[in-house]
Amino acid sequence: MTRQMFISESALKSLAEELVKAGTRLVGPARERNGDLVYREASDLGEIELGGDPPTRSLKEFFLPPTEVLLTYRQKQGDVEVTPAPHVFAPLVVIGARPCDAAAVAAVDKVMDWDYHDELWFGRRLATTIVSVACGGGDASCFCTAVGLAPDSAKGSDVLLVPVEGGFHAEILTEKGEALVKAHAARFTEGGKAEAAKAYRDAARGKVQANLSADPAKIRAFLEAGFDHPIWKGIALRCHGCGACAFVCPTCHCFDIVDEPDSIERGTRRRNWDTCQAAKFTLHGSGHNPRNEQNCRIRQRMMHKFAIYPARFGEILCTGCGRCIRVCPGGMDLLETLDKLGRLPAGAPAEAKRGAP
């Protein structure tokens, strides 16, 4: 059962100071010099913004960096000596994670432990404690409630904080959350303030629900029957194929692996982010490309998130954070697309000839 406690604003500040003093990396949403809000390492809680809109980039890069070394190799007298990258990491505590970003990490856990246990991903997961702060409903691009989540979703968090007067109602959700509370017991008081938090939670949910009301089951039914539907060509007209949507997405996890020689004898194997929206992503060595047009790549992105991943893992690969909408240079709007797809009957192509959503 979730334990409920209270932590004041000053006590949370002291907790952060204790973490940093003990050598634990402290990460949270903080402003860059250019004004962008990003997750980055902080030296104290004063740098961290505990509320407001989602940061420009997600938490993903703390578990799956844009580029990372998998191993180094050295050819040695007809043999090859391989040194894997370390997969044990120093403790890290995220304070102020948006619930959509914490939920995304939990969603990607499933694919990272599917046909292969990704030691680097889970090494970082093991070392990280996530303290989320329920958001106030984000902006007009947010739609977490339409994909089964909420501004106060506990999924993926070890501790969920909900703002109340003077501090936070705290819900302790996991063993790592319990360990954090135990290590800083003097900062918490028993009981929580659930009633005081309810008004904040209800208002936030209502704000997001007003952005989009969609039935994921209907969208999935359309996708599974609409592979050849003409709507995809209309949607793709706006897409530049730049991949920005995938790189800011908290759940997109495509990557490629390359060997980079340092010399004739030595080299490094790296994993780099990639995206299914890039024209060469599925280019075969033979020259054949099964997704040679942008409409095919857009369809794949939608299919993967709202039909394929749910069929395999039982959940949608989207947390409704809205980053793909904010960053798209072509003005593609996933809110608009989902609303359109949810209204189309499965297997009725004539409905789609009206154009892009």
Side-chain angles (χ1 to χ4, degrees), residues 276-277 291-301:
C276 61
Q277 296 309 289
R291 299 182 205 138
N292 60 348
E293 294 181 349
Q294 196 57 35
N295 60 295
C296 301
R297 297 189 279 275
I298 289 291
R299 180 185 60 199
Q300 169 60 23
R301 179 174 172 78

Side-chain angles (χ1 to χ4, degrees), residues 177-338:
E178 288 285 356
L180 181 72
V181 171
K182 184 178 179 181
H184 305 274
R187 306 302 173 194
F188 293 85
T189 56
E190 291 286 350
K193 295 190 176 184
E195 283 301 315
K198 186 175 183 305
Y200 180 91
R201 302 174 96 149
D202 289 347
R205 285 178 183 238
K207 182 180 177 183
V208 180
Q209 285 168 346
N211 291 341
L212 176 65
S213 176
D215 182 350
K218 287 189 67 177
I219 293 170
R220 179 176 168 182
F222 170 78
L223 291 171
E224 290 175 340
F227 190 83
D228 295 320
H229 202 287
I231 194 172
W232 301 117
K233 290 189 175 180
I235 293 174
L237 290 175
R238 296 183 187 176
C239 182
H240 297 184
C242 66
C245 52
F247 296 136
V248 298
C249 175
T251 60
C252 280
H253 51 268
C254 290
F255 57 79
D256 59 16
I257 293 175
V258 295
D259 285 349
E260 298 178 346
D262 298 324
S263 68
I264 294 176
E265 296 180 338
R266 301 168 183 267
T268 301
R269 178 165 293 177
R270 282 188 168 277
R271 170 161 66 181
N272 303 310
W273 284 4
D274 204 340
T275 170
C276 61
Q277 296 309 289
K280 294 183 179 178
F281 183 72
T282 49
L283 180 62
H284 296 181
S286 65
H288 171 64
N289 191 340
R291 299 182 205 138
N292 60 348
E293 294 181 349
Q294 196 57 35
N295 60 295
C296 301
R297 297 189 279 275
I298 289 291
R299 180 185 60 199
Q300 169 60 23
R301 179 174 172 78
M302 297 297 294
M303 291 284 291
H304 188 207
K305 289 187 174 297
F306 296 97
I308 298 170
Y309 205 86
R312 183 171 297 280
F313 297 115
E315 62 179 291
I316 297 170
L317 194 64
C318 172
T319 64
C321 69
R323 287 188 178 89
C324 57
I325 300 169
R326 298 182 200 99
V327 78
C328 180
M332 294 192 70
D333 189 334
L334 186 55
L335 269 168
E336 204 176 326
T337 302
L338 291 174

Side-chain angles (χ1 to χ4, degrees), residues 19 23-27 62-63 87-94 105 119-131 158 176 180:
L19 289 171
T24 300
R25 295 172 62 202
L26 174 66
V27 167
F62 286 90
F63 303 98
H87 55 267
V88 176
F89 298 90
L92 184 154
V93 174
V94 180
V105 175
E119 293 182 338
L120 289 170
W121 172 273
F122 285 104
R124 294 184 176 100
R125 287 285 280 133
L126 183 64
T128 303
T129 301
I130 299 177
V131 179
D158 297 300
K176 283 197 285 188
L180 181 72

Side-chain angles (χ1 to χ4, degrees), residues 4-224:
Q4 300 188 349
M5 308 191 80
F6 173 78
I7 183 168
S8 68
E9 293 174 359
S10 61
L12 186 61
K13 185 174 187 299
S14 298
L15 184 153
E17 290 172 351
E18 291 167 359
L19 289 171
V20 173
K21 189 175 180 180
T24 300
R25 295 172 62 202
L26 174 66
V27 167
R31 293 283 170 189
E32 298 283 58
R33 289 183 177 179
N34 64 3
D36 286 350
L37 185 66
V38 299
Y39 289 107
R40 65 168 172 80
E41 202 158 334
S43 58
D44 63 62
L45 196 66
E47 297 179 42
I48 295 175
E49 293 191 14
L50 297 176
D53 297 339
T56 307
R57 303 195 305 271
S58 76
L59 269 181
K60 173 175 69 178
E61 61 197 57
F62 286 90
F63 303 98
L64 182 68
T67 180
E68 67 177 332
V69 173
L70 298 180
L71 58 86
T72 56
Y73 61 86
R74 178 185 179 189
Q75 297 185 41
K76 196 174 182 180
Q77 296 180 342
D79 199 0
V80 179
E81 182 180 279
V82 174
T83 304
H87 55 267
V88 176
F89 298 90
L92 184 154
V93 174
V94 180
I95 295 182
R98 303 300 187 255
C100 52
D101 289 332
V105 175
V108 179
D109 279 348
K110 294 187 175 180
V111 72
M112 290 297 187
D113 194 31
W114 170 40
D115 60 346
Y116 172 78
H117 183 79
D118 194 295
E119 293 182 338
L120 289 170
W121 172 273
F122 285 104
R124 294 184 176 100
R125 287 285 280 133
L126 183 64
T128 303
T129 301
I130 299 177
V131 179
S132 296
V133 175
C135 88
D139 61 19
S141 297
C142 294
F143 58 96
C144 60
T145 51
V147 292
L149 298 172
D152 61 339
S153 174
K155 183 179 177 181
S157 300
D158 297 300
V159 177
L160 174 67
L161 303 180
V162 184
V164 295
E165 185 176 358
F168 302 90
H169 167 73
E171 296 181 354
I172 319 305
L173 303 163
T174 67
E175 291 184 3
K176 283 197 285 188
E178 288 285 356
L180 181 72
V181 171
K182 184 178 179 181
H184 305 274
R187 306 302 173 194
F188 293 85
T189 56
E190 291 286 350
K193 295 190 176 184
E195 283 301 315
K198 186 175 183 305
Y200 180 91
R201 302 174 96 149
D202 289 347
R205 285 178 183 238
K207 182 180 177 183
V208 180
Q209 285 168 346
N211 291 341
L212 176 65
S213 176
D215 182 350
K218 287 189 67 177
I219 293 170
R220 179 176 168 182
F222 170 78
L223 291 171
E224 290 175 340

